[in-house]
Structure formats: structure tokens, C-alpha cells
Amino acid sequence: MTRALVIAILLAAGLFVASPGCSEQGVGDPCTPEQEYNVDFNGFSVNEVNVESKSFQCRTRVCLVNHFQGRVSCPYGQNADGTPTSGTQGCTVPGTDTPITGAPNDPTTGATVKPQCVDRTTDRAVYCSCRCADINGNKPSDQIFCKCPDGFSCTQLVTSIGVGNEGLTGSYCIKNGTAYDPNSVCPDTCDATRTPCP
């Protein structure tokens, strides 16, 4: 009976450690946001933060898009008619040959996908993360927060996300040295021949 009790305690401890809400495991892993699987999605804006809170690609369940331009799956972008830029291939739905057609109700944009910014490429701005503090920088006991691993900083990113999603506001773990500076963001964009993306 004592042996069974010890095993039960060890199993419970293992479940606690592996809980996705409590662990920083997986922070920094690459992820492709679900929006990129839509043919009419033109890409993200460098002026915004996007938090995908139910990402099955991330052990943390959070895919963070931190002031990123374009699409993870198409680093060099494409023109309004869908033709690729800088001698690369056009944008497609990840893992398929289905072309990105862009916003159907916006003929001015068409299928345009902007290229990634050289200072905020996928590896620096899109990855699995976790919520490390609330909107006030606190960690109240009635909520679950993570501890950022080495090489990451707990940074205030989301101040408002809409009614019913207040639990997503607050601070997230971001890679050191990648904080957004609106005064110096995107000095140049990725170009296959001139400024290739990593």
C-alpha cells in the first residue's frame, strides 16, 4: 500500500510539472499562426501584437506574433496580382500549393503580402510564448502564469484584447533584445538577393 501511495504522489507531481499553464517548456519554439491557413489572409501588421491562445503547435498553447509584418510562411511576400517578389515563389497556404488570394472585398490590396522586416523576422518576432504577468505586472494567485526561461524577458505587450478575453492581457515572454521600438522599426524588408531572411 505504501508503494502505491508513493507512485500516486510521483504521478501527481509529474502531472503538475508538465501542466502547460505552469511550465516555461517550449517557450521560443517556432509556430505558424492559424490565420496563415486562410487564403484571404494578407498578413500581420508590424504595429500590432497577436496572441493565439489555443495553438496546438505550442506546448505552451500560445503562439505569439510580436510586432511582425507579413506571413511566417512567405518571408519575401508577393504583389497584388499574386506574383512573387525578388525572384522567389508566390505565397501559399502552409504545406500546400494553394495560392494566397488576399482580401476578396479589397481590390486595392488584392493578394499583396508584405515582406518581413529585416529587424523583426520570424525567428525574432513569432514563436511560442506564455503569459508571465497580468496587465498590472502582477501575478495574482487566482490566475496561472509562467516563469520566463533564460534568454527571455517578461514584457508588457497586451493592454486590451476585447470583451471576454481579458485573461490574455498582460506580459509575455519575449526573446531578449527584441523589444519593439516604433521609432526604428522596419528599416528595410527581406529581399532574396539584397537582404535575405535568415
Side-chain angles (χ1 to χ4, degrees), residues 13-106:
L15 288 173
F16 179 76
V17 170
S19 172
C22 301
S23 174
E24 68 276 2
Q25 211 175 30
V27 171
D29 287 352
C31 58
T32 301
E34 288 297 317
Q35 286 152 292
E36 297 206 14
Y37 292 88
N38 297 328
V39 295
D40 58 357
F41 179 64
N42 290 83
F44 296 96
S45 168
V46 74
N47 300 314
E48 299 174 347
V49 172
N50 182 284
V51 177
E52 184 180 302
S53 63
K54 297 178 182 177
S55 173
F56 290 107
Q57 298 177 41
C58 296
R59 287 179 281 175
T60 63
R61 292 294 179 257
V62 173
C63 181
L64 176 67
V65 182
N66 181 19
H67 295 285
F68 170 78
Q69 176 173 284
R71 293 173 63 101
V72 170
S73 55
C74 192
Y76 299 106
Q78 66 181 19
N79 298 315
D81 61 359
T83 58
T85 60
S86 64
T88 59
Q89 296 181 343
C91 302
T92 60
V93 173
T96 75
D97 294 325
T98 305
I100 300 305
T101 57
N105 299 323
D106 189 353

Side-chain angles (χ1 to χ4, degrees), residues 158-181:
V158 184
T159 56
S160 175
I161 207 160
V163 178
N165 285 312
E166 292 84 359
L168 296 179
T169 59
S171 301
Y172 288 82
C173 298
I174 68 168
K175 292 182 178 180
N176 291 344
T178 64
Y180 173 68
D181 181 353

